[in-house]
Amino acid sequence: MEQLSQHGAFGGWQRFYRHDSTEIGLPMKFALFLPPEPKALLVYLAGLTCTEETFTMKAGAQQAAAELGLALLMPDTSPRGANAPGEADAWDFGVGAGFYLDATQEPWAKHWRMESYLIEELLPLVQKEFGLPADRTGIFGHSMGGHGALTLALRHPGVFRSLSAFAPICAPMQCPWGVKAFSGYLGEDRDTWPAHDASALMKTQQSVPYPAGILIDQGLNDKFLVEQLHPQHFEEACAAVGQPLTLRRQEGYDHGYYFIASFVDDHLKHHAEQLLKP
């Protein structure tokens, strides 16, 4: 693991790293904010076209994270440098659009293994290297990353103790972004898709996965709300299984980082309340 840069921030350190990933088979980058006294780890998954730098530089999360004792891990959104045919032909598929799953279709299956990379490789690596407690780890994300946060939290019970999202893709099987990604990465057999759809996954829960509650913020001026995001489907799924959900519909806010910066402190507090309980 190579440290690319380090910057003092609010008594802690904002660092950027690169390492050779065995799951991806390529070098991967991530950002890590370490507060003065790290007590827990919070993973943030970014959206389409983003990198490890996007949330790190735009959200303004470090001050509250430092005060709360939350380390922040920001991975990249996809493999880079695979030179797969067509990997950079579209902004919503391929490079910058890994959708936080393991592809099963060629030419994506070899390198587009974001789920295994995050769960099996990056998270244990960071927890071990920086002495961060595995039993105090939360996850949140935005848009495609919100989809990733919800699905990974539901697919890997016990890995994350807290969960939230900004404007997540809540029902990817029912929106153009999701249908395009699932068709390309998972193939045309739609029977494989529900395992990566947060609303479908929630409906299959045999017990309440996050009894202390899930937080979602959604801007009502978000141009993607009606066609792509469908928070009402996740809301209905949570109600069906008794999962506590706070879905805040925010007037006047769009899909961008001014929206995220406006409410990120609320999300950090939401996670701290759950992660720092004895």
Side-chain angles (χ1 to χ4, degrees):
M1 184 166 57
E2 176 188 5
Q3 182 175 300
L4 300 175
S5 65
Q6 174 174 276
H7 315 274
F10 302 102
W13 297 105
Q14 178 61 63
R15 294 172 177 169
F16 294 87
Y17 291 92
R18 177 171 54 210
H19 73 119
D20 292 326
S21 167
T22 55
E23 288 289 347
I24 300 293
L26 294 165
M28 292 291 289
K29 293 181 179 179
F30 65 91
L32 180 69
F33 174 70
L34 290 170
E37 297 181 19
K39 302 172 184 176
L41 175 63
L42 183 55
V43 181
Y44 176 86
L45 304 182
L48 292 165
T49 76
C50 294
T51 72
E52 73 283 354
E53 295 182 342
T54 311
F55 178 86
T56 308
M57 295 183 175
K58 290 185 175 182
Q62 287 89 345
Q63 182 172 6
E67 293 170 355
L68 294 167
L70 297 177
L72 301 175
L73 172 62
M74 288 73 64
D76 201 354
T77 55
S78 79
R80 297 182 191 268
N83 297 317
E87 68 174 17
D89 288 355
W91 67 275
D92 56 355
F93 185 82
V95 173
F99 271 82
Y100 304 105
L101 50 74
D102 289 354
T104 59
Q105 304 299 302
E106 298 301 336
W108 315 105
K110 181 177 181 180
H111 297 297
W112 265 255
R113 296 179 49 78
M114 291 299 294
E115 179 172 7
S116 291
Y117 168 66
L118 291 170
I119 300 297
E120 304 295 336
E121 184 174 7
L122 182 62
L123 194 55
L125 172 67
V126 169
Q127 289 166 337
K128 180 179 180 181
E129 184 74 19
F130 300 98
L132 299 168
D135 62 345
R136 292 187 177 182
T137 301
I139 190 167
F140 69 148
H142 170 234
S143 194
M144 176 186 73
H147 145 79
L150 296 176
T151 56
L152 294 181
L154 293 174
R155 284 172 57 80
H156 299 277
V159 173
F160 303 104
R161 271 181 59 181
S162 58
L163 174 61
S164 75
F166 297 95
I169 304 171
C170 287
M173 291 191 301
Q174 301 181 53
C175 75
W177 282 342
V179 170
K180 181 176 183 176
F182 287 4
S183 297
Y185 294 137
L186 303 175
E188 297 299 334
D189 180 3
R190 295 197 175 209
D191 289 343
T192 66
W193 294 9
H196 301 279
D197 182 300
S199 297
L201 279 168
M202 183 58 76
K203 291 178 182 178
T204 68
Q205 301 301 303
Q206 299 302 308
S207 60
V208 175
Y210 288 89
I214 299 169
L215 172 63
I216 291 178
D217 274 303
Q218 173 61 61
L220 293 183
N221 279 20
D222 188 327
K223 66 181 180 180
F224 301 116
L225 173 57
V226 174
E227 185 178 27
Q228 302 282 11
L229 304 178
H230 302 307
Q232 72 279 5
H233 294 316
F234 190 71
E235 186 175 40
E236 292 164 2
C238 287
V241 300
Q243 168 62 54
L245 171 68
T246 301
L247 172 54
R248 306 193 303 187
R249 294 172 168 89
Q250 304 287 7
E251 291 280 358
Y253 288 90
D254 60 21
H255 198 69
Y257 269 79
Y258 295 114
F259 160 60
I260 293 173
S262 297
F263 300 106
V264 70
D265 285 7
D266 291 349
H267 284 249
L268 297 181
K269 291 172 184 175
H270 164 84
H271 287 275
E273 288 172 358
Q274 297 186 27
L275 294 175
L276 301 181
K277 286 181 179 178

